[in-house]
């Protein structure tokens, strides 16, 4: 039995905007076992990044607020920790890689200094030892250690993301949250960074929460997948089950929307309609206005996550027996 | 089949502080009537500059752009203005390419203003017709771009491009800013419109899956050059240029348990187009680099009918085969 590293229960996060209250995350349940990589997949506005920022306790407040729920890391609720306690965890035991390495690095400090800073703060090393650690980390991610004295703008996009990874891993975190780490990169550079992340994960046994919109990246890197739509998890499964038998209509719609590289598909089968307005989310199942399977009951009843297989769950009324299933 | 567009030795230089940047380096290709030619490549490969240069939205440095038999680079401003009715563009970023101060109907009708076409009443009808064509609700006629999501904004961009009933449209990364479910809707729309209006497209994207899906033929660009051009199916089943092979292998496939391509990891980054490497432009990252690759640029060679590649591996093999054919004759 694997050890549970992270468990999110019933998380609810709101943003108070001029246009009203936006419920970015609603009744979200999610768990991650030690040593595993979980992919969190969804489109713009699904609440993926808000979920990640909640774990880091970095949701900007105001306008954001964590309204309810628990985020247990090694069984302890991060949402109940005092700010000083969180500071000791953040960047140390849990760290994060951001999407855009240009905006997440400080442009006026050398990359070596920025890594040293994190190490000195958390690992209580002196500057000399921290400098050595920084150079070792750079080497680990494939950057010549003598470049520690260079500034972020002197690196290419792919190299900068390597710096971000080096910094995130510098304190040997137990959990690494990677928010779209390769989205800003060209595909051949993405391949380099993904290979690097895979090999480091094996060497350092880090658990990872990988946020992405790219199901290709998920197939490549993750053990488990959670599909998010309008603030909630609609399907959770191991990678193999999710890709071979997706159960939620939204997940199936996503697969129908992706152009295939290795098959001849004349026409895509997109999900109809638009992402819902976050200030006025649909009642009942939030996917019902776009769902080809939707029935009257979907407008009113909120679906629960129902087990549809070993470790595979889907939040859809089909699996509560209230709506007819798919015609295969 | 009839060629709508024929591009010969097209070149575009930019003068930068660091020196001469050759964004498009003497490339040639044709686009046949009714087809979609995809252009794929990574950032800085010159694909967008190519798209703009064939419309003279950036002025090419050298070469010929023959549209329906006429070299439009020879046109004066007035003739070019007329020609533009037939040649339009859909831009990548539906946030940056729409004027935030104009309503949807004003944006779509702007081409009519420019060409002084249609009296107001008729214009209103035309705008409605275009909105129907691209699947925009009539309710949005007085809305402003910021009120709409990316997908609907891109539909406006499509409607505007089609307002003057063009024959040829450059689609410059039209779905790159969109989420996958919306991307699929717009791709279907672009395909449907091609059928209905008999359009010819050049479709530019960094996403090989998208390009392969929508195109009849694909050109792969690297550092200002076309390195390979063939039918889109062939690019996947028989990629011949080492860069195409690496590009294909780098794409994560959203499937599990299938036999995947062996991944070729390219070392380093795309070199700067200022002072590009001598010889073959890909020589610095090519896993199969040979001494001659550093000295001369490989010629574009036809490896099979309709499949051309710029690589010595291919031209040498073809040369050897041709020599073999001669001796056996």
């Amino acid at each position: 039995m694997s050890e549970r590293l992270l468990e999110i229960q019933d998380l609810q996060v709101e943003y108070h905007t001029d246009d009203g209250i936006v419920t970015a995350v609603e009744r979200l349940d999610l768990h991650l076992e030690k040593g595993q990589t979980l992919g969190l997949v969804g489109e713009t506005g699904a609440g993926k990044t808000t979920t990640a920022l909640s774990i880091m306790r970095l949701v900007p407040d105001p306008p954001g607020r964590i309204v309810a729920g628990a985020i247990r890391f090694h069984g302890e609720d991060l949402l109940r920790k005092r700010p000083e306690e969180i500071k000791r965890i953040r960047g140390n035991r849990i760290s994060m890689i951001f999407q855009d390495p240009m905006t997440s690095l400080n442009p006026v400090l050398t990359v070596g200094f920025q890594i040293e800073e994190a190490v000195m703060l958390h690992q209580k090393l002196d500057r000399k030892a921290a400098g050595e650690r920084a150079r070792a980390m750079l080497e680990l991610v494939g950057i010549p250690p003598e470049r520690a004295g260079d500034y972020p703008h002197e690196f290419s996009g792919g190299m900068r993301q390597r710096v971000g990874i080096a910094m995130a891993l510098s304190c040997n975190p137990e959990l690494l949250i990677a928010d779209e780490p390769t989205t800003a990169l060209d595909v051949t550079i993405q391949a380099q960074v993904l290979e690097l992340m895979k090999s480091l994960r094996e060497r350092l046994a880090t658990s990872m929460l990988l946020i992405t919109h790219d199901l290709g990246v998920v197939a490549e890197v993750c053990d488990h997948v959670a599909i998010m739509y309008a603030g909630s998890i609609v399907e959770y499964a191991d990678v193999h089950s999710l890709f071979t038998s997706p159960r939620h209509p939204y997940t199936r719609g996503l697969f129908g929307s992706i152009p295939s590289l290795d098959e001849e598909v004349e026409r895509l089968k997109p999900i109809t309609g638009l992402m819902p307005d976050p200030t006025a989310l649909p009642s009942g199942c939030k996917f019902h206005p776009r769902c080809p399977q939707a029935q009257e009951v979907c407008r009113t009843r909120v679906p629960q996550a129902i087990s549809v297989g070993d470790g595979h769950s889907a939040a859809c009324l089909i699996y509560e027996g209230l709506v007819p299933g798919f015609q295969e | 089949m009839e060629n709508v567009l024929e591009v010969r030795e097209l070149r575009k230089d930019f003068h930068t502080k660091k020196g001469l940047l050759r964004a498009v380096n003497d490339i040639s290709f044709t686009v046949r009537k009714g087809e979609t030619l995809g252009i794929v490549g990574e950032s800085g490969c010159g694909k967008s500059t190519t798209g703009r240069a064939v419309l003279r939205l950036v002025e090419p440095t050298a070469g010929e752009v023959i549209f329906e038999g006429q070299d439009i680079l020879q046109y004066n401003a007035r003739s070019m203005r007329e020609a533009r009715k037939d040649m339009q563009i859909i831009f990548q970023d539906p946030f940056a390419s729409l004027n935030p101060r104009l309503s949807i109907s004003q944006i779509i009708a702007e081409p009519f203003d420019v060409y002084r076409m249609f009296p107001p009443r008729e214009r209103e009808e035309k705008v409605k017709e275009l909105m129907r064509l691209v699947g925009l609700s009539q309710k949005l006629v007085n809305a402003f771009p910021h009120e709409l999501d990316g997908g609907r904004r891109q539909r406006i961009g499509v409607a505007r491009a089609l307002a003057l009933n063009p024959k040829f449209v450059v689609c410059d990364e039209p779905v790159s800013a969109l989420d996958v479910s919306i991307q699929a809707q717009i791709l279907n729309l672009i395909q449907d419109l091609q059928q209905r209006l008999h359009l010819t497209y050049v479709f530019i994207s960094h996403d090989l899956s998208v390009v392969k899906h929508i195109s009849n033929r694909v050109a792969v660009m690297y550092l200002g050059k076309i390195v390979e051009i063939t039918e889109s199916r062939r690019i996947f089943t028989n990629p011949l240029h080492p860069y195409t092979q690496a590009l294909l292998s780098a794409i994560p496939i959203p499937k599990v348990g299938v036999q995947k391509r062996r991944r070729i990891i390219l070392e380093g980054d795309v070199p700067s187009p200022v002072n590009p490497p001598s010889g073959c432009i890909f020589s610095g990252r090519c896993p199969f680099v040979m001494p001659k690759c550093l000295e001369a640029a490989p010629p574009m060679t036809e490896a099979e009918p309709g499949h051309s590649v710029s690589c010595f591996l291919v031209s040498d093999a073809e040369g050897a085969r041709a020599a073999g054919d001669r001796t056996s004759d």
Side-chain angles (χ1 to χ4, degrees):
Chain A
M1 189 66 199
S2 50
E3 190 189 331
R4 186 153 289 188
L5 182 69
L6 184 78
E7 179 155 31
I8 303 179
Q9 265 179 347
D10 209 24
L11 183 70
Q12 179 134 348
V13 186
E14 292 175 350
Y15 291 99
H16 293 251
T17 71
D18 293 342
D19 297 326
I21 296 177
V22 172
T23 306
V25 173
E26 190 174 31
R27 290 188 295 272
L28 179 125
D29 292 313
L30 198 61
H31 56 90
L32 171 61
E33 318 302 322
K34 199 168 172 6
Q36 299 267 307
T37 296
L38 170 66
L40 188 56
V41 178
E43 299 182 273
T44 312
K48 312 183 293 286
T49 298
T50 300
T51 304
L53 293 178
S54 305
I55 300 168
M56 297 290 279
R57 288 273 300 270
L58 286 174
V59 174
D61 178 8
R65 253 186 60 203
I66 298 175
V67 185
I71 300 177
R72 292 199 192 86
F73 179 63
H74 283 297
E76 289 179 47
D77 189 354
L78 295 175
L79 300 182
R80 294 180 181 282
K81 297 234 178 259
R82 292 194 310 276
E84 319 80 85
E85 292 176 299
I86 283 294
K87 274 189 192 163
R88 282 200 294 275
I89 295 173
R90 185 167 56 210
N92 189 21
R93 295 172 67 196
I94 305 178
S95 62
M96 188 154 171
I97 305 172
F98 296 91
Q99 173 171 349
D100 182 353
M102 193 64 218
T103 52
S104 57
L105 292 171
N106 187 329
V108 300
L109 300 175
T110 66
V111 299
F113 183 87
Q114 294 184 61
I115 301 173
E116 281 168 31
E117 218 180 6
V119 180
M120 283 166 67
L121 180 70
H122 291 298
Q123 310 274 303
K124 307 282 180 281
L125 295 180
D126 60 31
R127 177 148 309 266
K128 190 157 167 283
E132 270 163 34
R133 170 77 71 89
R135 282 188 291 280
M137 289 312 297
L138 287 176
E139 199 162 14
L140 184 72
V141 298
I143 296 176
E146 54 276 15
R147 295 204 63 187
D150 288 354
Y151 291 89
H153 75 268
E154 296 175 90
F155 292 84
S156 64
M159 289 303 235
R160 252 181 247 140
Q161 197 53 293
R162 285 170 193 261
V163 171
I165 294 169
M167 191 182 302
L169 294 177
S170 62
C171 296
N172 204 7
E174 294 159 76
L175 172 62
L176 180 64
I177 301 174
D179 188 1
E180 303 265 13
T182 58
T183 305
L185 306 177
D186 271 318
V187 57
T188 60
I189 308 301
Q190 163 170 289
Q192 293 173 356
V193 171
L194 288 179
E195 286 300 315
L196 173 70
M197 286 174 65
K198 281 197 280 187
S199 76
L200 289 178
R201 189 186 56 191
E202 271 158 42
R203 277 170 66 183
L204 308 174
T206 313
S207 314
M208 187 156 77
L209 179 65
L210 176 70
I211 296 174
T212 180
H213 67 279
D214 187 335
L215 285 165
V217 171
V218 170
E220 191 129 312
V221 180
C222 299
D223 306 300
H224 287 83
V225 200
I227 307 282
M228 237 180 139
Y229 185 80
S232 307
I233 305 288
V234 295
E235 183 159 5
Y236 178 92
D238 65 90
V239 162
H240 193 266
S241 309
L242 189 104
F243 281 79
T244 51
S245 60
R247 296 302 191 93
H248 196 281
Y250 176 63
T251 314
R252 297 168 75 109
L254 279 182
F255 280 111
S257 299
I258 311 172
S260 169
L261 199 53
D262 55 350
E263 284 169 43
E264 293 301 317
V265 179
E266 273 299 305
R267 237 183 115 73
L268 300 171
K269 294 186 222 55
I271 303 168
T272 54
L274 306 166
M275 285 297 274
D277 175 359
T279 59
L281 289 174
S283 59
C285 172
K286 282 175 281 192
F287 187 58
H288 84 256
R290 302 178 75 187
C291 182
Q293 310 297 127
Q295 302 282 328
E296 200 51 40
V297 61
C298 302
R299 300 162 73 96
T300 49
R301 192 178 164 111
V302 178
Q304 305 296 313
I306 302 290
S307 174
V308 291
D310 190 18
H312 189 164
S313 63
C316 174
L317 297 183
I318 290 174
Y319 307 106
E320 295 183 37
L322 296 168
V323 170
F326 300 101
Q327 309 275 315
E328 292 297 341
Chain B
M1 221 187 299
E2 191 190 332
N3 288 334
V4 168
L5 188 77
E6 199 171 335
V7 173
R8 292 188 193 144
E9 303 287 309
L10 184 73
R11 176 186 296 182
K12 177 61 192 176
D13 291 338
F14 292 103
H15 297 276
T16 68
K17 275 187 207 153
K18 290 182 186 159
L20 182 77
L21 187 159
R22 184 149 292 168
V24 178
N25 192 351
D26 301 345
I27 66 169
S28 303
F29 59 90
T30 56
V31 189
R32 297 171 199 144
K33 192 168 169 49
E35 80 163 345
T36 301
L37 174 73
I39 302 183
V40 70
E42 299 181 274
S43 326
C45 73
K47 55 190 188 301
S48 281
T49 306
T50 301
R52 280 155 206 235
V54 301
L55 299 178
R56 288 182 73 184
L57 295 176
V58 295
E59 200 55 47
T61 308
E64 292 170 40
V65 176
I66 296 158
F67 180 72
E68 297 194 307
Q70 300 283 320
D71 183 2
I72 62 162
L73 299 190
Q74 304 304 323
Y75 281 3
N76 61 18
R78 182 187 290 168
S79 318
M80 194 58 225
R81 195 179 142 91
E82 276 309 300
R84 284 231 167 83
K85 285 185 189 168
D86 287 332
M87 317 174 78
Q88 290 289 323
I89 183 166
I90 301 167
F91 292 101
Q92 167 172 3
D93 186 347
F95 294 79
S97 59
L98 304 179
N99 186 335
R101 291 169 180 275
L102 298 185
S103 71
I104 306 312
S105 62
Q106 286 171 314
I107 292 171
I108 297 176
E110 213 179 3
F112 303 144
D113 289 337
V114 173
Y115 285 95
R116 308 230 164 81
M117 287 160 84
F118 307 121
R121 178 85 40 89
E122 223 174 300
R123 200 176 279 190
E124 214 171 283
E125 259 322 296
K126 279 276 166 198
V127 167
K128 281 190 181 157
E129 196 185 306
L130 283 161
M131 288 179 74
R132 258 196 305 279
L133 187 69
V134 299
L136 280 170
S137 155
Q138 305 289 326
K139 284 185 296 190
L140 298 172
V141 68
N142 293 318
F144 286 87
H146 75 268
E147 299 174 76
L148 305 181
D149 62 285
R152 283 190 290 191
R153 259 184 269 208
Q154 197 54 292
R155 287 178 197 268
I156 299 169
V158 174
R160 178 177 60 182
L162 298 180
L164 298 172
N165 217 356
K167 296 174 182 153
F168 170 70
V169 181
V170 172
C171 308
D172 186 7
E173 302 258 19
V175 296
S176 305
L178 306 176
D179 271 316
V180 53
S181 69
I182 306 300
Q183 167 177 304
Q185 295 175 2
I186 300 293
L187 286 174
N188 281 353
L189 174 69
I190 288 174
Q191 274 180 320
D192 291 346
L193 292 171
Q194 178 168 43
Q195 295 281 320
R196 282 174 63 180
L197 307 173
H198 310 291
L199 296 167
T200 304
Y201 290 144
V202 162
F203 190 101
I204 298 165
S205 176
H206 69 282
D207 186 334
L208 192 48
S209 317
V210 168
V211 165
K212 182 206 160 235
H213 173 76
I214 204 155
S215 308
N216 302 92
R217 291 185 303 134
V218 174
V220 180
M221 279 188 82
Y222 186 82
L223 217 58
K225 283 271 190 200
I226 291 176
V227 296
E228 181 158 8
I229 182 166
T230 184
E231 284 166 48
S232 63
R233 200 163 26 91
R234 302 297 288 165
I235 220 80
F236 184 77
T237 56
N238 190 26
L240 293 175
H241 196 282
Y243 176 65
T244 313
Q245 293 167 356
L247 194 64
L248 269 171
S249 79
I251 299 169
I253 306 281
K255 283 185 185 158
V256 289
V258 294
Q259 187 61 40
K260 291 190 180 171
R261 230 168 251 278
R262 196 177 59 83
R263 176 151 291 172
I264 307 160
I265 298 284
L266 292 178
E267 298 291 324
D269 290 303
V270 180
S272 162
V274 180
N275 308 315
S278 59
C280 171
I281 39 148
F282 188 57
S283 57
R285 299 174 81 197
C286 183
F288 310 110
V289 63
M290 303 177 284
K292 71 198 284 191
C293 305
L294 305 175
E295 281 151 26
M300 207 57 168
T301 311
E302 189 161 68
E304 54 185 337
H307 188 169
S308 296
V309 187
S310 160
C311 176
F312 282 122
L313 290 173
V314 174
S315 61
D316 287 0
E318 287 302 307
R321 195 158 72 197
D325 285 352
R326 273 197 297 280
T327 45
S328 63
D329 276 349

